[in-house]
Amino acid sequence: MSLILGIESSCDETAAAVVRDGYQVLSSCVASQIAKHAVHGGVVPELAAREHLVALNPVVEGALREAGVTMKEIGAIAVTQGPGLIPALLVGLSFAKGLAMGNGKPLIGVNHFIAHIYGAFLDEAHGVLENPATYPLLALVVSGGHTSLMLIERDGKARQLGCTIDDAAGEALDKGAKLLGLGYPGGPVIDRLAREGDPEAFRFAHPHVDGFDFSFSGLKTSFLYTLRDAVADDPDFIDRHKADLCASLQHTIVEILLKQLVRAAKEYDIRDIAVAGGVSANSGLRNGVVEEGRRRGWRTFVPEFRFTTDNAAMIAVAGYYHYLHGDFSSLDVSPVARIEELM
Ligand code: KG4
Ligand code: ZN
């Protein structure tokens, strides 16, 4: 039996979790700073670092308490190394180092982006990752910072088939929400309002990209121009069409994501599909993937709702696979801002 303590501090969530044997979530505690950043319209890195500093100790203590375990029983400490905001990562990483050193536990630096994929295989879906028939697995990772199609091989090696050449999908939703005056982060608000709107009410630009890449900047411009022109004629346009605008924007983003996912699944003849990252919380995307999967005979894996956005359970699971291979980090491991430096 192995118990991994996961710690996450890459952005605006301070999180800790205890996971048994790589899939059983004994506790998953998240302290969100969203309200603190919302007044600034986005995440302020230095503010995030300060908040992590305050929250880390109680969150880690809470995760241990909730799991009913002591530090003594923990096999290893897994912590987000990156990608993320350097000041924020530094706080979590330093905390984890201190904890590891003080308690004589191995430390494991984890790739946050890859960890999101593990988030789709917690609790009930466990066992899938151990089954060789699952591979190659195709994963669409969609968050506030990333939009990538990943091919995961049986030996755990991950290859990026495509990624966004400009904004991430979550960023496009957040920016769209900002233009509509919906506050930060916009993803969840758009999701809620979209349920009352007509997804076909407005048409926005679809990108023309090569291979399996994504692009959302054309859509953003097209959304902006639609609003600008309509508001010039009718100052109340946004208020009167809010739900339709949200539904149409979300629908376009989901269409763009699914189109590339389907193309890659066909090209590589893959039937095991995972969707993960903050935007996998989106009901339009979740329904779209399941529906597409039903039509095409895929097995689809989406994270349980609470493991879609940043959490430490996914960090602990990713850490577990390093742990199995005795793949530990030294105490001088440093934070990494960009995904390229970790792959
Ligand atoms: O994975 P995540 O928590 O943080 C990063 O690693 O980036 O993703 C955050 C992103 C934000 O852009 C947020 O707007 C989006 O996930 N998001 C959603 C929903 N919930 C969070 N987007 C659409 N629909 C949602 N329900
Ligand atoms: Zn994330």
Side-chain angles (χ1 to χ4, degrees):
M1 205 236 338
S2 72
L3 291 172
I4 308 287
L5 170 67
I7 297 176
E8 153 67 26
S9 77
S10 67
C11 192
D12 57 354
E13 255 97 35
T14 316
V18 178
V19 175
R20 182 193 284 153
D21 296 335
Y23 72 93
Q24 260 183 315
V25 184
L26 303 188
S27 64
S28 176
C29 302
V30 181
S32 176
Q33 312 172 359
I34 284 177
K36 294 252 162 56
H37 296 280
V39 289
H40 302 285
V43 180
V44 182
E46 284 71 21
L47 178 57
R50 231 179 305 149
E51 293 298 319
H52 288 310
L53 204 52
V54 176
L56 265 164
N57 205 29
V59 168
V60 169
E61 276 183 355
L64 290 169
R65 198 179 329 116
E66 206 176 291
V69 302
T70 60
M71 255 329 279
K72 223 169 150 183
E73 298 164 76
I74 295 292
I77 299 167
V79 60
T80 302
Q81 188 191 352
L85 306 168
I86 293 290
L89 289 165
L90 203 51
V91 177
L93 203 52
S94 306
F95 185 91
K97 283 180 190 177
L99 210 55
M101 204 153 48
N103 293 279
K105 303 290 177 186
L107 180 76
I108 304 168
V110 166
N111 180 333
H112 174 100
F113 169 83
I114 295 293
H116 266 299
I117 303 175
Y118 284 107
F121 297 94
L122 282 163
D123 291 330
E124 283 106 88
H126 90 279
V128 173
L129 291 178
E130 269 90 41
N131 184 355
T134 305
Y135 301 95
L137 170 78
L138 183 63
L140 172 67
V141 187
V142 264
S143 68
H146 300 277
T147 302
S148 292
L149 269 171
M150 305 294 298
L151 193 68
I152 320 288
E153 301 287 358
R154 195 174 152 181
D155 60 4
K157 288 222 165 62
R159 178 154 66 95
Q160 185 166 274
L161 301 180
C163 66
T164 181
I165 56 170
D166 38 59
D167 291 344
E171 221 174 334
L173 279 161
D174 293 340
K175 285 179 180 170
K178 208 168 187 174
L179 292 173
L180 295 175
L182 300 177
Y184 177 87
V189 190
I190 291 204
D191 194 354
R192 187 162 37 80
L193 287 172
R195 286 171 210 182
E196 291 137 39
D198 173 8
E200 311 278 350
F202 300 96
R203 289 291 300 166
F204 304 118
H206 279 243
H208 300 282
V209 285
D210 294 330
F212 300 113
D213 281 342
F214 299 90
S215 166
F216 294 100
S217 72
L219 164 63
K220 188 178 64 187
T221 312
S222 145
F223 187 68
L224 172 69
Y225 287 178
T226 301
L227 295 183
R228 190 194 60 185
D229 296 348
V231 169
D233 291 338
D234 169 12
D236 297 328
F237 175 81
I238 291 181
D239 273 343
R240 291 199 296 109
H241 296 279
K242 214 167 249 178
D244 284 348
L245 286 163
C246 288
S248 302
L249 177 65
Q250 178 176 302
H251 179 66
T252 312
I253 290 176
V254 171
E255 267 185 346
I256 293 170
L257 293 170
L258 289 182
K259 187 177 163 203
Q260 294 297 66
L261 181 64
V262 168
R263 283 189 58 227
K266 271 192 194 160
E267 170 88 14
Y268 291 90
D269 193 21
I270 295 178
R271 292 201 161 70
D272 285 301
I273 311 280
V275 180
V279 182
S280 72
N282 186 268
S283 54
L285 180 59
R286 291 171 85 89
N287 296 338
V289 171
V290 170
E291 214 169 279
E292 205 66 69
R294 209 172 289 138
R295 205 166 31 233
R296 297 175 188 278
W298 295 346
R299 274 203 305 174
T300 50
F301 302 95
V302 287
E304 205 182 295
F305 190 77
R306 65 187 176 129
F307 300 131
T308 52
T309 48
D310 290 347
N311 64 88
M314 66 182 199
I315 303 299
V317 183
Y320 170 75
Y321 286 92
H322 288 279
Y323 177 81
L324 283 184
H325 298 109
D327 179 13
F328 302 121
S329 306
S330 69
L331 284 173
D332 59 7
V333 59
S334 31
V336 166
R338 294 174 55 80
I339 181 85
E340 294 77 14
E341 297 166 58
L342 277 172
M343 306 277 286

